[in-house]
Amino acid sequence: MSGIITSGEKRLVLVTGRAHPELAEAVGKELGTGVLPTTAYDFANSEIYVRFNESVRGCDAFVLQSHTEPINQWIMEQLIMVDALKRASAKRITVVAPFYPYARQDKKHLGREPISARLMADLFKTAGADRLMAVDLHAAQAQGFFDGPVDHLWAMPVLVDYVKSRVDLSHVAVVSPDAGRIRVAEKWANKLGGCPLAFVHKTRDTSRPNVAVANRVVGDVEGLNCVLVDDLIDTGGTIAEAVKVLKDSGAKSVIVAATHGVLSPPAAQRLSECGATEVVITDTLPIKAEKRFDKLTILPIAPLLARAIREVFDDGSVTSLFDGVA
Ligand code: R5P
């Protein structure tokens, strides 16, 4: 496999940066293309060099990068790869960012703040991207930041199938860890047979980053097995606080399901000690050994990414992958 698949006159090429090679390999395997051999390294002053080892002229290129730490380096590498593809005459370029960088900075909370998620979209466009593909954007409306088609994928089917096999569905409630994600939690509740819904009233002190306070549960979780759903877990503060307040409100058990495992310290410690029976995430981001803990389950996202890439390449339907979820 050389990273290329040909269909009639069209050629699908999968290329990747260096952030999460295991994910790219898994996507390439699912697609049957492999990953295009690429040379990439850092100069002494940390500038990045990239060159594709084979021709990409006329191809339908998908540039996969997983925006883990050091995030700014991997953003720059992906931009450089898009630029190289454009200058090498790729016919169409799709940025595949399973975890969209700076997604949480999607609006101004205070005067003189940036809207960094919009800036990312502009950078991808300026570099030469024709399309974007991402999984579970922090806010779905951020699709509008990019001037072009955006394929917004949902990890929910992957997570729901697994959670269904782990929870007693006769006594279950879906819980959003803050008011902002109640619509997503509602979709989860529908997928779990129309079960009760609750949310945690969470507050943040904007002068202290990464500190979340769960005040109380809105809704009845007494005696129920709670499925606590979020788009991402960073330091684990939101989830740990939510589990505590759910237990204090009489929840029988809590299983956590989130798409993106950012897991910045002290997430592993907080999550392993928070009282959740299990924490389920996907591998949109690499999960290094020091981020792992006993109750952590990591589900593969590559099959979903590969199916979506295939639909885009074949001019098929990405929506059809989600059975009305989106
Ligand atoms: C917030 O709106 C997000 O959905 C996450 O709940 C939050 O960013 C997670 O951050 P942390 O794990 O650091 O509390």
Side-chain angles (χ1 to χ4, degrees):
M1 293 194 290
S2 64
I4 299 176
I5 198 168
T6 307
S7 168
E9 293 302 302
K10 297 205 293 183
R11 279 199 314 153
L12 190 165
V13 169
L14 176 67
V15 299
T16 187
R18 292 169 290 168
H20 193 356
E22 301 82 6
L23 178 61
E25 290 297 334
V27 173
K29 196 168 168 199
E30 291 280 338
L31 282 168
T33 60
V35 181
L36 191 85
T38 302
T39 302
Y41 54 79
D42 299 331
F43 288 105
N45 68 350
S46 83
E47 288 177 0
I48 296 168
Y49 173 85
V50 164
R51 179 175 184 262
F52 305 112
N53 298 351
E54 295 171 19
S55 172
V56 291
R57 185 178 298 278
C59 73
D60 193 357
F62 294 81
V63 191
L64 176 64
Q65 185 77 298
S66 182
H67 292 289
T68 186
E69 318 86 51
I71 289 174
N72 297 332
Q73 177 179 349
W74 300 139
I75 291 168
M76 193 64 199
E77 185 177 73
Q78 195 173 26
L79 291 168
I80 286 173
M81 294 184 92
V82 172
D83 185 75
L85 284 165
K86 180 178 68 178
R87 293 176 195 284
S89 304
K91 191 172 270 173
R92 183 170 70 168
I93 302 168
T94 301
V95 160
V96 183
F99 175 67
Y100 187 89
Y102 287 88
R104 281 176 285 181
Q105 295 184 36
D106 61 355
K107 62 172 93 62
K108 287 176 68 168
H109 293 276
L110 298 171
R112 302 187 296 279
E113 287 181 344
I115 302 180
S116 309
R118 165 65 198 246
L119 176 62
M120 286 302 110
D122 288 346
L123 288 171
F124 288 133
K125 187 75 186 175
T126 301
D130 299 295
R131 325 174 44 95
L132 275 185
M133 182 180 286
V135 183
D136 285 335
L137 287 164
H138 183 62
Q141 58 268 32
Q143 291 170 77
F145 290 165
F146 184 74
D147 184 16
V150 176
D151 296 299
H152 185 202
L153 314 183
W154 295 70
M156 191 187 297
V158 180
L159 293 164
V160 164
D161 279 354
Y162 179 80
V163 166
K164 273 183 173 172
S165 71
R166 304 291 290 173
V167 176
D168 171 9
L169 294 174
S170 61
H171 292 88
V172 71
V174 173
V175 182
S176 169
D178 56 46
R181 302 204 70 72
I182 198 82
R183 291 278 299 128
V184 176
E186 198 177 7
K187 290 177 199 289
W188 267 85
N190 291 338
K191 285 280 170 195
L192 296 182
C195 68
L197 192 60
F199 74 89
V200 175
H201 177 235
K202 176 177 100 171
T203 49
R204 278 192 190 278
D205 178 349
T206 49
S207 65
R208 297 169 67 211
N210 303 317
V211 178
V213 178
N215 297 304
R216 66 190 174 95
V217 179
V218 180
D220 186 7
V221 295
E222 179 84 41
L224 297 179
N225 301 303
C226 294
V227 182
L228 181 60
V229 297
D230 210 347
D231 60 328
L232 69 99
I233 306 175
D234 192 350
T235 63
T238 299
I239 292 298
E241 284 278 312
V243 173
K244 182 174 174 297
V245 80
L246 284 168
K247 288 288 188 78
D248 291 348
S249 303
K252 188 175 170 196
S253 69
V254 183
I255 184 170
V256 178
T259 305
H260 309 293
V262 181
L263 304 184
S264 307
Q269 187 191 349
R270 277 180 177 164
L271 296 172
S272 59
E273 293 172 357
C274 74
T277 52
E278 191 172 351
V279 177
V280 187
I281 58 172
T282 77
D283 60 355
T284 54
L285 293 161
I287 312 294
K288 292 182 192 140
E290 60 270 24
K291 294 186 174 185
R292 296 182 183 227
F293 52 96
D294 280 351
K295 293 175 191 162
L296 183 69
T297 299
I298 305 168
L299 303 177
I301 201 70
L304 176 67
L305 287 172
R307 288 206 305 277
I309 289 172
R310 189 79 226 195
E311 290 295 335
V312 171
F313 177 64
D314 288 338
D315 296 324
S317 166
V318 171
T319 304
S320 70
L321 302 177
F322 297 102
D323 185 24
V325 169

